């Protein structure tokens, strides 16, 4: 009998994604849905989606949702988890959301050791609003607000948000992955599953940073955008487990 190797994930709604061709958000949604199903925690899950291209995540992920204002997801997740400790609470945030306007909420939630999980989608730009520079924009990268390329002296260096969160004593597990190749997609799914398991065990704050193509604002084809992740982004944001275990690094 033929083996079924592909099916519609239980926690993805029958909707058509609005994401651009080659965008990483679609893949990441699917991975989250697969992990929720495999860990049998979909009915317990509460997602706090961002302001950003994934603001409509509630159209796609079939789990409870508690929308947050731009950058406030870690604070909203804190409140939800403290009121409903038996639920699995996760934020889903872009780099503008988490590493610019939401830096304070994120660092302090991590430092308090809030038992929540953060999915941090790093595409190096403010995608939804048209491709402005984000804290994670690379040196020399063109954006609508750095038309001649990001200059470190003028604009600052790319921000290592995940490493900053790792320094916070209450964070437990932090890994940086990518969704530009099948191998990296598989590693991302493993990392998301580990982050959720840490929350299920009540161990504290977990975060998975996922390097994710934004072909539209990078002005590249989907294939060239996927290649750029390995060729350029991973040189500045290496794929690795940044922290595995409680305490300060
Ligand atoms: C308080 C506030 N300031 C600004 C905005 C406008 N805004 C919406 S999405 C966004 C940036 C989103 O970029 P990012 O978080 O990187 O997510 P992406 O769209 O790239 O997935 C901004 C600045 C807003 N919604 N609320
Ligand atoms: S603008 Fe970028 S991040 Fe937003 S949906 Fe399109 S490819 Fe994805």
């Amino acid at each position: 009998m033929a083996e079924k190797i592909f099916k519609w994930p239980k926690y993805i709604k029958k909707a058509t994604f609005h994401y651009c061709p080659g965008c990483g958000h679609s893949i990441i949604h699917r991975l989250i849905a697969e992990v929720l199903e495999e860990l049998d925690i979909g009915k317990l899950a509460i997602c706090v989606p961002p302001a950003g291209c994934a603001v409509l995540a509630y159209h796609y992920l079939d789990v409870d949702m508690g929308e947050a204002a731009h950058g406030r997801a870690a604070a909203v997740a804190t409140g939800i988890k403290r009121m409903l400790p038996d639920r699995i609470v996760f934020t889903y945030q872009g780099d503008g959301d988490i590493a610019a306007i939401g830096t304070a909420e994120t660092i302090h939630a991590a430092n308090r050791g809030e038992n929540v999980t953060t999915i941090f989608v790093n595409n190096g730009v403010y995608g939804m609003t048209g491709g402005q520079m984000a804290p994670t924009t690379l040196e020399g990268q063109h954006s609508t607000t750095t038309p001649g390329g990001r200059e470190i002296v003028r604009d600052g260096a790319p921000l290592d948000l995940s490493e900053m969160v790792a320094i916070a004593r209450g964070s437990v597990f932090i890994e940086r992955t990518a969704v530009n190749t099948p191998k990296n997609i598989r590693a991302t799914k493993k990392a998301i599953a580990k982050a959720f398991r840490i929350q299920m065990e009540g161990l504290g704050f977990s975060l998975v940073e996922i390097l994710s193509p934004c072909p539209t604002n990078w002005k590249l084809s989907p294939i060239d955008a996927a290649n750029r992740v390995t060729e350029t982004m991973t040189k500045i944001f290496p794929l690795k487990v940044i922290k595995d275990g409680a305490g300060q690094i």
Side-chain angles (χ1 to χ4, degrees), residues 25 51-54 70 94-97 101 123 125-129:
H25 279 304
C53 281
H70 198 26
D95 42 0
D97 193 79
I101 194 168
N123 60 20
V125 284
Y126 284 26
M128 183 195 208
T129 43

Side-chain angles (χ1 to χ4, degrees), residues 137-153:
T137 300
L138 302 185
E139 184 179 9
Q141 184 177 337
H142 293 249
S143 71
T144 54
T145 45
T146 54
R150 182 178 192 162
E151 279 179 35
I152 290 184
V153 170

